[in-house]
Amino acid sequence: MTIVLYDLAGAEEDRRFSPYCWRTRMALAHKGLPVETVAWRFTDKQAIAFSGQGRVPVIVDKGKTVFDSWSIAEYLEDAYPDRPSLFGGSDEKPLTRFYSCLADTLVGGIFRFIALDILNHLHDKDRTYFRKSREERVGATLESYVADRDARLTSLRDSLTPLRLTLKMQRYLGGDRPLYADYALFGPFQWARCISPFALLARDDPIALWRDRLLDSFGGLARSSPGYDGPSS
Amino acid sequence: MTIVLYDLAGAEEDRRFSPYCWRTRMALAHKGLPVETVAWRFTDKQAIAFSGQGRVPVIVDKGKTVFDSWSIAEYLEDAYPDRPSLFGGSDEKPLTRFYSCLADTLVGGIFRFIALDILNHLHDKDRTYFRKSREERVGATLESYVADRDARLTSLRDSLTPLRLTLKMQRYLGGDRPLYADYALFGPFQWARCISPFALLARDDPIALWRDRLLDSFGGLARSSPGYDGPSS
């Protein structure tokens, strides 16, 4: 039975850009589970009201509703134990939690670079909501929030040093194959790629090479989403 | 047969403060392996020349010499597979690598707070070497390097947000029991505790509570080392 995923979309129906939904997309692909996605916009609160909250990802599987990317990963691991493990094994779930928290923090860091690009790719009906809610959150206009992003780039790249060192030594965080730890941290980079031409990573950065491998995995699932694959992004 | 560990010491023979040696001490305790430590100072290069390099930790086990904390962890896991796993299981070693890289980076971050305190706790014979090599590395006198540490504290604490979020949800990075991922990140905090009264963490920080649990583990092994356990450190 196909799992339904409510998946954040931009102006175009196929521009799916949520860092959290991408974790779920990759996790579903890792498990080899068929999925039917439903394009969802920020203001479509009514469409997911059945989940009891207002954010995506939300999945519906065999009549069961699960929301929150981490909870969905746990659910998929428990519901489909015979499929490839998302965590590597039963003991690795706690070890993976930190990666999820780190990725959440990275979303905040990258937002300082792409906030305005997100706005520019949203469906018309989402723009007022997005600008208002995000400007309240960050205490600045989106324009001023990203204005010094060039000057901030070195600091962002420096903050990724531990990830870079690790990916110099192994192909994935999970070793020779990706695990949920990889998908969790891939999410923010795929979010940025879907929405912004800004080059967060140098082309020869081991993190960029790892991102490329994940873009190509599952038959190029993530790469097939509209996005920016410029020479230096 | 007892494993020998060359272990960095301060002026007092029992002030063992290396963040890297502490990873090894905790890993040996986790495996339940008896150890005999040899107090070593930075300038005792000759004493470990047999290892082919000049840094600790170095262990000698059944005639075999291993150096570098990560290599030692891998060695112990392979040589003592019947003892409790350091990584949680065979697949978790790659997932643990990132924690080790993150801890290495954290050593650099914390050094900006405790560099001068280290100097003040060193054996006389190490002081000139330490000041010269570290001042060359950071491009400043140790005094000026730490001068603005109060102003930097918020930034350091903010950088620990993902660790804090994780440890709000689980007792250890490894879940309900510590793993090498915990010991790797505990190392820098124990280093600071051994050498400096500066309070890196607020007392009620979930990271401080986790550090306390690790200080108390293995019969208080880490807490028994001379250090600063002030009301707010």
Side-chain angles (χ1 to χ4, degrees):
Chain A
M1 196 164 143
T2 298
I3 294 172
V4 175
L5 167 65
Y6 290 81
D7 193 17
L8 183 65
E12 310 96 319
E13 177 126 339
D14 62 347
R15 191 180 300 272
R16 307 298 175 90
F17 67 95
S18 159
Y20 305 104
C21 291
W22 270 108
R23 296 182 192 179
T24 299
R25 279 304 293 279
M26 299 294 272
L28 288 163
H30 183 97
K31 286 278 186 193
L33 294 168
V35 61
E36 176 195 325
T37 67
V38 178
W40 181 89
R41 273 86 183 198
F42 285 115
T43 49
D44 292 340
K45 299 294 185 194
Q46 201 54 45
I48 57 169
F50 69 89
S51 72
Q53 52 87 59
R55 303 205 293 182
V56 293
V58 172
I59 66 165
V60 181
D61 181 29
K62 294 177 277 192
K64 186 170 169 57
T65 299
V66 190
F67 61 89
D68 173 75
S69 58
W70 179 260
S71 297
I72 291 170
E74 286 186 309
Y75 166 79
L76 294 175
E77 188 76 349
D78 292 343
Y80 299 96
D82 298 336
R83 305 287 184 121
S85 171
L86 288 168
F87 304 118
S90 57
D91 278 347
E92 294 88 333
K93 196 170 81 174
L95 278 178
T96 302
R97 187 98 202 210
F98 176 73
Y99 290 94
S100 178
C101 292
L102 186 67
D104 293 349
T105 304
L106 184 58
V107 167
I110 291 179
F111 191 65
R112 291 211 74 136
F113 293 82
I114 66 169
L116 197 59
D117 298 310
I118 296 174
L119 181 76
N120 292 333
H121 282 89
L122 290 184
H123 194 284
D124 283 344
K125 68 179 180 182
D126 274 1
R127 293 191 183 194
T128 303
Y129 161 82
F130 181 81
R131 181 184 280 279
K132 184 166 184 301
S133 61
R134 270 43 177 187
E135 291 188 346
E136 277 176 14
R137 186 187 297 170
V138 304
T141 64
L142 297 181
E143 286 77 2
S144 65
Y145 195 58
V146 303
D148 62 347
R149 64 180 182 177
D150 290 325
R152 291 180 169 275
L153 186 57
T154 299
S155 170
L156 177 78
R157 290 182 177 179
D158 284 352
S159 76
L160 299 170
T161 297
L163 184 60
R164 186 172 298 116
L165 291 173
T166 306
L167 293 170
K168 270 186 188 173
M169 294 184 286
Q170 53 193 48
R171 286 174 61 80
Y172 298 101
L173 297 168
D176 55 9
R177 86 298 194 205
L179 293 174
Y180 191 75
D182 292 275
Y183 310 139
L185 276 163
F186 173 72
F189 291 105
Q190 170 71 344
W191 174 51
R193 173 193 163 277
C194 289
I195 222 79
S196 174
F198 190 83
L200 294 173
L201 302 170
R203 194 154 182 74
D204 61 349
D205 189 328
I207 303 170
L209 304 177
W210 160 83
R211 180 187 55 183
D212 277 343
R213 288 192 285 275
L214 288 166
L215 284 168
D216 292 334
S217 58
F218 311 123
L221 171 67
R223 201 184 286 287
S224 69
S225 184
Y228 295 89
D229 286 313
S232 58
S233 77
Chain B
M1 197 162 141
T2 298
I3 294 172
V4 175
L5 166 65
Y6 290 80
D7 194 17
L8 183 65
E12 310 97 319
E13 178 126 340
D14 61 347
R15 190 179 301 271
R16 307 299 175 86
F17 67 95
S18 158
Y20 305 104
C21 291
W22 271 108
R23 296 182 191 179
T24 299
R25 280 302 293 281
M26 299 294 273
L28 288 163
H30 183 97
K31 286 277 186 194
L33 295 167
V35 61
E36 176 194 324
T37 67
V38 178
W40 181 89
R41 273 85 183 198
F42 285 116
T43 49
D44 293 340
K45 300 293 185 196
Q46 200 54 45
I48 58 169
F50 69 89
S51 72
Q53 52 87 60
R55 304 204 294 182
V56 292
V58 172
I59 66 164
V60 181
D61 181 29
K62 294 177 277 190
K64 186 169 167 59
T65 299
V66 190
F67 62 89
D68 173 75
S69 57
W70 179 260
S71 298
I72 291 170
E74 286 187 309
Y75 166 79
L76 294 175
E77 188 77 348
D78 293 343
Y80 299 96
D82 298 336
R83 305 287 184 121
S85 171
L86 287 168
F87 304 118
S90 56
D91 276 347
E92 294 89 331
K93 197 170 80 174
L95 278 178
T96 303
R97 186 100 204 207
F98 175 72
Y99 290 93
S100 178
C101 292
L102 185 67
D104 293 349
T105 304
L106 184 57
V107 167
I110 291 180
F111 191 65
R112 292 210 75 136
F113 293 81
I114 66 168
L116 198 59
D117 297 310
I118 296 174
L119 180 76
N120 292 333
H121 281 89
L122 291 183
H123 194 283
D124 283 345
K125 68 181 179 181
D126 274 1
R127 292 191 182 192
T128 303
Y129 161 81
F130 181 81
R131 180 183 280 279
K132 184 166 184 298
S133 62
R134 270 44 177 186
E135 292 188 345
E136 278 176 13
R137 186 187 297 171
V138 302
T141 64
L142 296 181
E143 286 78 2
S144 65
Y145 195 58
V146 302
D148 62 346
R149 65 180 180 176
D150 290 325
R152 290 181 168 276
L153 185 57
T154 300
S155 169
L156 177 78
R157 290 181 178 179
D158 284 352
S159 75
L160 299 170
T161 297
L163 184 60
R164 185 171 298 115
L165 290 173
T166 306
L167 293 170
K168 271 186 186 171
M169 295 184 286
Q170 52 193 47
R171 286 174 61 79
Y172 298 100
L173 297 168
D176 55 8
R177 85 301 195 204
L179 293 173
Y180 191 75
D182 292 276
Y183 309 140
L185 276 163
F186 173 72
F189 291 105
Q190 169 71 343
W191 174 51
R193 174 194 163 275
C194 288
I195 223 78
S196 173
F198 189 84
L200 294 173
L201 301 170
R203 193 153 182 74
D204 61 350
D205 189 328
I207 303 171
L209 304 177
W210 160 82
R211 181 187 56 182
D212 277 344
R213 288 192 284 275
L214 289 167
L215 284 167
D216 291 334
S217 59
F218 311 124
L221 171 67
R223 202 185 285 286
S224 70
S225 184
Y228 295 89
D229 285 313
S232 57
S233 77

